[in-house]
Amino acid sequence: AAEPAGPQRCGFIAIVGKPNVGKSTLLNALVGAKVSITSRKAQTTRHRITGIRTEGATQFVFVDTPGYQTRHGNALNRALNKAVLGTVGDVDLLLFVVEAGRFDLADAKVLALLPPNVPVILVANKLDRVHRRVEIAPWLRSMQERYPFAEFFPMSAKQPRDVQRLLALCERYLPEQPWMYEADDLTDRSERFLAGELVREKLFRLTGDELPYTSTVVVDRFEQEGELRRIAATIIVERESHKGIVIGEKGERLKRIGTETRQELEREWGGKVFLELWVKVRSGWSDDEARVRAYGYE
Ligand code: GDP
Ligand code: K
Ligand code: MG
């Protein structure tokens, strides 16, 4: 995009909420590219992920965050919650995401963490899932009576028109200041990071409910020779039985995780990818502060 003549506008917008309300789906929709992995499972997002969109004179710097966890208090959860808390105070605008028509104790706990001096838009997401639309108006009214949000925004992250309207709304909250990134930057994360995240996404999507909390992925090697990328990564689990789940019968599941990751990376980068995957057991890693740090969690 060519730089426009007028003054530049740029600001940080953090996306926060309990697990699974659609924060990462919304980030990707707002950026217009997949920069954050998504799945129907909690704990998919484990890092602060910056997604950048530059349009006209405005640069939006969105920050996706892990879902705030109020349940298990292991070292990993503490690190994830710290990442959320370290983000919310330092932005120009907050998108507090809930599911349309719902506001429970876990939502209230996240809301209680938000700083009073940053404007908050209540994003009531997954509107497409609400069967009785007539019930949304009274729900919104009751939210308006109870909470002083700057805006109330019912929407679906899967509806491009809604996303465009939210983008326009966000723009009003961004200060006039020079851009912080290049006009065509989409994220501040590296290809190496994305590769590890995509392995984890496929792992989450292709396994049952128990595994996600006890697994992680470490990229051991990332080399580029021309258009070819050679990647080696290790899936780390906490139990021998979990290793069996990841590998699957005759290695089928691990193979599929590898194939799906490789195909998506090749589409994204437009070059060939060699991906080698390993599985290792490290019992208790998720409650071991040193290991949690060593595996890349802040
Ligand atoms: P996060 O944990 O808050 O980041 O949530 P994700 O973005 O990973 O999404 C959780 C699940 O909700 C995924 O299965 C998404 O496809 C789904 N989802 C997200 N937004 C919407 C939406 O607007 N409508 C519907 N129907 N599903 C959504
Ligand atoms: K999720
Ligand atoms: Mg997420």
Side-chain angles (χ1 to χ4, degrees):
E3 293 194 17
Q8 291 184 341
R9 206 174 270 284
C10 180
F12 284 92
I13 304 155
I15 305 174
V16 295
K18 73 178 178 188
N20 261 345
V21 290
K23 297 177 295 300
S24 302
T25 304
L26 180 61
L27 173 84
N28 293 338
L30 287 163
V31 171
K34 181 164 166 186
V35 293
S36 192
I37 62 169
T38 67
S39 90
R40 57 177 186 81
K41 291 170 189 167
Q43 278 225 5
T44 306
T45 308
R46 289 185 177 168
H47 301 270
R48 264 176 282 201
I49 311 258
T50 299
I52 303 147
R53 173 149 182 171
T54 307
E55 212 167 82
T58 305
Q59 184 162 77
F60 304 82
V61 186
F62 295 102
V63 186
D64 189 16
T65 62
Y68 196 82
Q69 305 271 332
T70 46
R71 285 179 307 159
H72 333 261
N74 66 18
L76 174 62
N77 290 130
R78 288 195 297 275
L80 299 187
N81 283 355
K82 238 162 96 184
V84 180
L85 292 176
T87 305
V88 293
D90 223 18
V91 295
D92 301 289
L93 177 63
L94 286 161
L95 302 183
F96 172 48
V97 185
V98 301
E99 287 186 14
R102 291 191 199 172
F103 188 81
D104 64 17
L105 195 61
D107 295 308
K109 282 186 178 168
V110 179
L111 179 57
L113 303 170
L114 305 185
N117 56 328
V118 180
V120 180
I121 297 179
L122 177 76
V123 174
N125 191 34
K126 304 195 189 183
L127 192 60
D128 57 296
R129 285 247 205 109
V130 176
H131 296 301
R132 296 173 54 83
R133 287 288 168 94
V134 288
E135 286 171 3
I136 286 301
W139 177 81
L140 266 182
R141 261 198 312 280
S142 81
M143 291 299 288
Q144 275 163 341
E145 280 158 16
R146 280 158 71 197
Y147 302 105
F149 293 114
E151 316 272 353
F152 294 80
F153 200 83
M155 71 172 297
S156 168
K158 300 198 171 180
Q159 175 56 255
R161 242 175 315 136
D162 290 351
V163 174
Q164 205 54 46
R165 278 174 42 239
L166 179 59
L167 203 59
L169 190 57
C170 289
E171 188 169 16
R172 299 195 212 144
Y173 290 86
L174 302 188
E176 261 182 33
Q177 60 177 332
W179 296 346
M180 285 170 221
Y181 297 91
E182 299 295 318
D184 55 2
D185 282 348
L186 294 175
T187 183
D188 64 348
R189 293 291 187 164
S190 65
E191 289 189 352
R192 183 187 176 116
F193 176 81
L194 178 70
E197 287 287 274
L198 275 186
V199 173
R200 210 161 48 75
E201 180 184 78
K202 306 315 169 199
L203 175 71
F204 276 35
R205 289 185 180 186
L206 294 171
T207 56
D209 280 332
E210 197 191 0
L211 197 68
Y213 307 97
T214 63
S215 59
T216 191
V217 173
V218 173
V219 178
D220 307 304
R221 194 155 49 88
F222 187 102
E223 290 160 6
Q224 186 165 1
E225 306 155 14
E227 292 295 285
L228 170 72
R229 277 112 167 152
R230 286 180 195 279
I231 305 165
T234 305
I235 296 170
I236 290 159
V237 294
E238 290 201 309
R239 293 196 195 139
E240 207 57 48
S241 63
H242 292 157
K243 187 171 169 179
I245 294 172
V246 173
I247 292 172
E249 223 166 298
K250 294 186 186 145
E252 276 306 314
R253 186 172 283 123
L254 185 62
K255 201 167 147 197
R256 189 151 165 223
I257 292 169
T259 306
E260 289 194 11
T261 305
R262 178 178 55 74
Q263 287 172 340
E264 188 166 335
L265 289 175
E266 287 181 341
R267 266 200 311 279
E268 176 67 30
W269 295 334
K272 228 173 154 33
V273 171
F274 281 163
L275 176 60
E276 221 177 296
L277 284 184
W278 304 90
V279 186
K280 244 190 225 164
V281 180
R282 284 282 175 273
S283 62
W285 75 264
S286 68
D287 202 22
D288 176 339
E289 307 259 354
R291 277 223 191 271
V292 164
R293 260 198 313 276
Y295 293 159
Y297 298 106
E298 295 140 273

